[in-house]
Amino acid sequence: MKINENYKKLKTDYLFAGIAKKINVFSEKNPNVNIIRLGIGDVTLPLVPAVTEAMRRAVSEMGEAETFRGYENSGVGYLFLRQAVCGYYSTAKNVKLNEDEVFISDGAKSDLGNILDIFSADNTVLIPEPVYPVYVDTNIMAGRNIIYTEGSADNGFLPMPGRGMKADIIYLCSPNNPTGAVYNKKQLELWVEYAMQNGAVILFDAAYEVFIRDKNLPASIFQIEGAKKCAIEFCSLSKTAGFTGTRCGYTVIPHELVREGEPLNKLWLRRQTTKFNGVPYIVQRGAEAVFGDEGLKQINGNIDYYLENARVISETLEKLDIWFTGGGNAPYIWLRCPDNMSSWEFFDYLLEKAGIVGTPGAGFGKNGEGYFRLSAFGSAADVKEAVQRIVKL
Ligand code: MLT
């Protein structure tokens, strides 16, 4: 028996698992420190009433012989939820989708990794860096060749394809994790043009789309002309509706996306029906409620709450004259570490001196060195307390 040698090329821990270990060590040594967690982007507000009510109804259905449901059969999601997603795309983004272009899953992270099943291991992958580590790690696991396009303060952490770069698969994330930067329409048009010229496929991570408040910024790659021929979009209810623990997301693969004569939608359908048995009925009913009028109103109230946290953090950094990006249309604030500290030095400093946890930029790649990510998903009280501690420091 031989193991997959590629695993030996990975760092020992997944970024957030490594950070969790560090926090545990610190809190064991300092049991009296009230740690404020602005690290991993985990939500703190509970599920909204529209969702919990829908889930309660679904639980009752599951307890009655007449309405009980077993296997979903398809593993791609119930029609009611796929229709709800299509309705949302139509009204919120003016993008028309067919129900069978939408695949329901347990979240964007799984799909972003699993989608690689349908691509050859020989493909070259282009990744803008700094980056959500899942894109890099899953391709290392598969032994793919990875090339990078460099994000920096000079390009506002919105890197574009470089001259002569030849890629088959491209990852884009906008609003970006970790930097909170958002591509504008013109920039996404250039990415789509590049993908079309190279016959490449864009894997567009839109997990944070609901945080876009500036209506001029694209909230879906499919708002860009031609994108249905070259892009797959991944979305999640984790950040949108507080489903980090509940688990539900969706992936959109347009029928027009065809490579080597094969519609990628068909390949993904084959993959999912073989390897996935679907998201629980109860969760899908909760997810459907997110896209109803009441659900949308309620979850947008939660997004406003997190964006207010982001505003409080941004305002503090402005006062302290610390360079940052993100925050306005994203739940992440990406700041330059003060006094030329490295990312990990600043992580330790902030934890030890102020009891605040953030995420070191270097954990998102070499271009993240010297930067630091703060998440706006904490409680408003914690965020206020955190900025006071930062100012004092
Ligand atoms: C993050 O903090 O980057 C995210 O919460 C991680 C994730 O969504 O998997």
Side-chain angles (χ1 to χ4, degrees):
M1 176 271 171
K2 290 191 177 129
I3 61 160
N4 178 349
E5 287 288 315
N6 294 320
Y7 275 68
K8 293 187 181 165
K9 298 177 199 148
L10 295 164
K11 291 194 189 111
T12 316
D13 285 318
Y14 177 59
L15 174 63
F16 293 104
I19 292 173
K21 278 190 195 164
K22 259 183 168 272
I23 302 168
N24 286 345
V25 170
F26 177 83
S27 54
E28 265 167 32
K29 278 196 201 141
N30 304 276
N32 298 326
V33 176
N34 170 24
I35 298 176
I36 299 181
R37 292 165 196 267
L38 306 180
I40 190 163
D42 197 3
V43 292
T44 48
L45 292 173
L47 296 173
V48 296
V51 168
T52 52
E53 280 155 25
M55 285 180 168
R56 274 193 201 101
R57 283 194 298 274
V59 168
S60 300
E61 283 178 49
M62 293 296 272
E64 301 292 334
E66 298 74 37
T67 45
F68 168 76
R69 296 183 189 229
Y71 283 125
E72 182 202 288
N73 286 335
S74 68
V76 300
Y78 285 104
L79 184 61
F80 63 77
L81 180 52
R82 288 183 285 123
Q83 281 173 337
V85 172
C86 291
Y88 175 62
Y89 266 72
S90 170
T91 42
K93 304 170 199 249
N94 199 20
V95 170
K96 301 281 175 259
L97 298 176
N98 285 319
E99 289 122 19
D100 56 0
E101 292 175 313
V102 177
F103 296 83
I104 306 302
S105 73
D106 67 342
K109 180 183 182 177
S110 332
D111 276 9
L112 280 157
N114 293 336
I115 196 77
L116 296 172
D117 269 13
I118 68 169
F119 298 112
S120 158
D122 295 339
N123 286 310
T124 292
V125 180
L126 174 57
I127 299 185
E129 215 253 47
V131 65
Y132 181 38
V134 170
Y135 313 156
V136 176
D137 288 358
T138 51
N139 278 290
I140 291 177
M141 288 171 184
R144 263 189 208 90
N145 177 36
I146 305 176
I147 57 173
Y148 295 94
T149 167
E150 318 286 344
S152 67
D154 291 342
N155 58 26
F157 285 96
L158 290 166
M160 299 302 295
R163 229 172 240 282
M165 276 183 178
K166 181 81 190 81
D168 308 300
I169 300 171
I170 302 157
Y171 285 85
L172 293 179
C173 177
S174 180
N176 188 266
N177 178 14
T179 69
V182 188
Y183 281 112
N184 64 31
K185 191 160 180 271
K186 182 79 217 151
Q187 288 166 323
L188 287 187
E189 279 168 1
L190 290 172
W191 273 111
V192 166
E193 196 181 302
Y194 168 79
M196 291 304 285
Q197 278 166 4
N198 285 273
V201 172
I202 296 173
L203 304 181
F204 192 79
D205 181 352
Y208 301 93
E209 54 85 26
V210 77
F211 290 86
I212 296 180
R213 287 292 189 247
D214 179 345
K215 291 291 166 213
N216 294 317
L217 294 170
S220 164
I221 189 76
F222 301 126
Q223 288 170 327
I224 308 300
E225 214 186 310
K228 283 190 173 176
K229 287 190 163 52
C230 67
I232 298 177
E233 182 153 292
F234 301 84
C235 213
S236 160
L237 296 186
S238 287
K239 320 297 157 101
T240 308
F243 274 54
T244 47
T246 310
R247 309 305 315 153
C248 194
Y250 53 89
T251 291
V252 179
I253 310 188
H255 291 305
E256 290 155 67
L257 180 56
V258 178
R259 291 292 180 273
E260 297 177 7
E262 292 287 337
L264 298 195
N265 181 297
K266 195 179 104 190
L267 301 188
W268 184 241
L269 178 67
R270 189 69 176 84
R271 193 266 174 211
Q272 288 300 78
T273 47
T274 307
K275 293 198 183 181
F276 188 55
N277 257 338
V279 174
Y281 172 71
I282 298 160
V283 172
Q284 293 198 49
R285 278 294 181 199
E288 178 193 23
V290 169
F291 300 109
D293 290 345
E294 205 48 39
L296 283 174
K297 205 164 98 198
Q298 292 170 0
I299 61 137
N300 272 301
N302 288 2
I303 303 303
D304 287 343
Y305 175 96
Y306 294 132
L307 284 173
E308 173 59 16
N309 283 345
R311 193 196 62 74
V312 169
I313 297 171
S314 306
E315 197 180 79
T316 305
L317 296 177
E318 267 161 24
K319 279 192 195 135
L320 294 173
D321 207 16
I322 294 175
W323 186 95
F324 71 95
T325 182
N329 293 283
Y332 297 126
I333 290 104
W334 178 253
L335 58 114
R336 188 177 277 143
C337 301
D339 297 334
N340 290 321
M341 269 189 248
S342 75
S343 302
W344 282 105
E345 272 167 359
F346 189 58
F347 174 88
D348 290 335
Y349 178 76
L350 212 55
L351 182 59
E352 279 158 24
K353 305 278 184 218
I356 298 171
V357 174
T359 311
F364 299 101
K366 69 174 175 31
N367 292 329
E369 182 54 278
Y371 290 87
F372 199 75
R373 192 191 79 172
L374 288 174
S375 145
F377 286 116
S379 74
D382 272 358
V383 167
K384 283 203 182 95
E385 167 73 23
V387 296
Q388 277 167 16
R389 290 187 197 177
I390 288 172
V391 169
K392 215 159 138 198
L393 200 61

